Amino acid sequence: ESRRFLYLHFDKVWNKMMGLAGLKGIAQGYIVTAPSMLVMTFVGDESTLGVLQSISAIVSAVVLYLLGRFTAPRHRIWIFSAGLVLFALGGAFNTVLYSASGVIAFMLCLVLARPLMDMGYFPIQMRVIDYVSGKEGRSSYTYIFIHELGLYIGRFFGCGLFIVITLLISDVAALRYTILIIGAIQLLSIAVAGNITRHLDNADRNRQNQ
């Protein structure tokens, strides 16, 4: 069945989710590109970058397995918060040290932060989609589509910030300070995610009491 999937007005909890998506999108470009640029600048060549990325993939897989095995849904917001704090901490290391040791510290923080942020974020996203699609009677693809727009808006802002700092100051300033700025902005996600989680918990309790 072909159903309408483009809407302009949504429940307030979905609007909060879009804010969370925008914050997530801000960091996505840096998570992919910043390690490569920093490693190539301070640590080594393509082979060094490949080794670090392979190690990162293995560590991420192990962390995801252990978290999935030993944590419960009630721990998701804490896992998400830990990932955001680690990302900001890695940005601080890079800014303060801005050297090979700073890059290694940033990479270590990022290796742990990525699976934590993803594991905390996606259950919140899916839970919100289930809630609002049932409440508003729309296809879940509606929210998946709009969610991608939120991510792209965040990516545009994050990449734009890097370009602006590069043009107005220098590429060194962009590599050194932008990650810390993005990490600090990302910490707002903790409050937004907590607010969304409380809203959904209250909705669940009200449903059970009826």
Side-chain angles (χ1 to χ4, degrees):
E1 180 184 359
S2 179
R3 298 178 62 184
R4 178 184 174 187
F5 66 93
L6 185 58
Y7 295 87
L8 298 177
H9 301 287
F10 296 91
D11 186 83
K12 62 181 180 179
V13 72
W14 181 252
N15 293 331
K16 296 175 185 177
M17 188 67 224
M18 288 296 291
L20 193 61
L23 290 169
K24 178 181 176 64
I26 289 174
Q28 279 190 334
Y30 291 93
I31 288 175
V32 175
T33 58
S36 301
M37 291 187 288
L38 290 170
V39 169
M40 295 289 287
T41 301
F42 288 106
V43 180
D45 54 15
E46 292 89 344
S47 60
T48 304
L49 178 60
V51 171
L52 288 173
Q53 288 178 332
S54 298
I55 294 172
S56 299
I58 294 170
V59 173
S60 295
V62 172
V63 171
L64 282 172
Y65 171 77
L66 293 175
L67 289 174
R69 193 84 168 78
F70 298 108
T71 61
R74 66 179 181 275
H75 300 130
R76 295 295 185 257
I77 189 67
W78 297 104
I79 293 172
F80 185 53
S81 300
L84 293 168
V85 171
L86 276 171
F87 183 83
L89 184 62
F93 281 130
N94 177 68
T95 298
V96 173
L97 301 175
Y98 199 62
S99 61
S101 58
V103 173
I104 296 299
F106 169 69
M107 290 291 292
L108 289 173
C109 289
L110 184 60
V111 164
L112 295 174
R114 288 185 68 175
L116 294 178
M117 289 190 292
D118 287 343
M119 193 171 187
Y121 180 88
F122 290 119
I124 295 173
Q125 176 194 350
M126 294 297 104
R127 189 181 177 195
V128 173
I129 289 177
D130 287 342
Y131 172 76
V132 292
S133 62
K135 183 177 180 179
E136 297 181 330
R138 299 170 181 173
S139 168
S140 58
Y141 291 107
T142 296
Y143 306 98
I144 294 172
F145 173 76
I146 298 297
H147 179 265
E148 288 299 314
L149 292 180
L151 290 177
Y152 276 111
I153 291 171
R155 291 167 189 159
F156 180 81
F157 175 84
C159 294
L161 178 63
F162 184 88
I163 292 171
V164 168
I165 293 177
T166 299
L167 294 176
L168 296 182
I169 307 176
S170 68
D171 54 348
V172 172
L175 275 175
R176 184 169 188 173
Y177 297 106
T178 310
I179 298 173
L180 178 59
I181 295 171
I182 295 301
I185 294 174
Q186 278 275 99
L187 293 177
L188 295 173
S189 300
I190 298 174
V192 178
N195 186 279
I196 291 172
T197 301
R198 288 191 295 273
H199 183 104
L200 296 176
D201 289 342
N202 290 334
D204 288 342
R205 283 192 290 269
N206 292 336
R207 221 171 14 243
Q208 291 171 1
N209 293 332
Q210 288 177 353

